[in-house]
Amino acid sequence: IETVMGMPSLAIIPQSKRTSAEQTATMSTAQRNIHVLTQPKSQFTESFRALRTSLMLATAGQPPKYILFTSAMPSEGKTTIASNLACILSQSDARVLLMDADLRRSNIHHRFGLTGKLGLTTVLAGTSTLEEAVQHIPETPNMDILPSGPVPPFPTEMLSSETMQKLMEKLGKTYTHIVIDSP
């Protein structure tokens, strides 16, 4: 990819090692699914620290505020990368928002054991406030999570709306980094 694109790779993320059934019995949903929370010295977690460092140094002047993950096909690891990177970013003094903008196949709330009844779609539709939709987990005190919310009839229109643009501007004033899981 580096040769074809002429761009450097930011990090190589290995597969995480599965935790034994005995270990997972006492873990929260987030701890079972977000390996950087439970395996701080693993090669998997170290690769996310390397990714964090690469991202912080990749832009001249200041670290990136908005970090969006996408790919050409489903099941290529976007949610895994976005979730684990958001957790790693939040372990510093940064205030991080993990946003699920995959409005057709949302998954973030499942990974963290949260409800998906309120989220990005309800905020954009005006049926909930941002404060009502944002959720937290005790394992990551510097990170907020904005699930996608209910599946809307026209997801593309919602994401490209002026309301979404205004929301992103508002979030940019509140958070150091906004990590976006997208389709």
Side-chain angles (χ1 to χ4, degrees):
I1 291 174
E2 287 179 344
T3 303
V4 171
M5 299 296 294
M7 299 174 75
S9 135
L10 295 176
I12 296 173
I13 310 293
Q15 283 190 326
S16 64
K17 294 191 173 157
R18 298 240 178 238
T19 327
S20 70
E22 294 170 351
Q23 292 173 312
T24 60
T26 60
M27 292 180 175
S28 69
T29 302
Q31 290 171 327
R32 280 192 300 276
N33 293 312
I34 312 300
H35 296 289
V36 299
L37 296 175
T38 56
Q39 301 171 8
K41 295 182 191 270
S42 70
Q43 184 180 12
F44 182 78
T45 301
E46 282 301 320
S47 69
F48 278 96
R49 289 189 186 107
L51 176 57
R52 176 187 61 199
T53 301
S54 294
L55 284 170
M56 296 304 111
L57 298 174
T59 55
Q62 60 182 339
K65 172 129 342 240
Y66 305 96
I67 304 167
L68 181 132
F69 288 94
T70 190
S71 69
M73 301 290 291
S75 301
E76 289 187 326
K78 296 176 295 292
T79 302
T80 298
I81 301 294
S83 300
N84 283 282
L85 178 64
C87 289
I88 288 291
L89 287 168
S90 74
Q91 290 175 354
S92 63
D93 289 334
R95 183 123 190 262
V96 178
L97 175 70
L98 174 59
M99 175 191 291
D100 192 345
D102 189 344
L103 303 186
R104 288 191 181 105
R105 291 189 207 178
S106 61
N107 200 355
I108 296 283
H109 66 284
H110 293 298
R111 299 260 175 126
F112 288 91
L114 302 171
T115 178
K117 292 181 181 181
L118 298 179
L120 179 59
T121 58
T122 59
V123 172
L124 294 175
T127 58
S128 73
T129 65
L130 180 62
E131 293 73 22
E132 292 169 332
V134 167
Q135 298 180 50
H136 317 276
I137 60 165
E139 294 89 347
T140 57
N142 292 336
M143 185 175 87
D144 293 337
I145 301 167
L146 180 60
S148 69
V151 176
F154 303 105
T156 305
E157 288 76 4
M158 275 193 131
L159 292 174
S160 61
S161 69
E162 187 177 329
T163 307
M164 179 67 171
Q165 184 176 352
K166 288 179 181 175
L167 176 63
M168 294 304 289
E169 289 171 8
K170 178 181 179 179
L171 294 171
K173 293 174 184 170
T174 305
Y175 294 96
T176 313
H177 304 289
I178 300 156
V179 179
I180 306 164
D181 183 27
S182 73

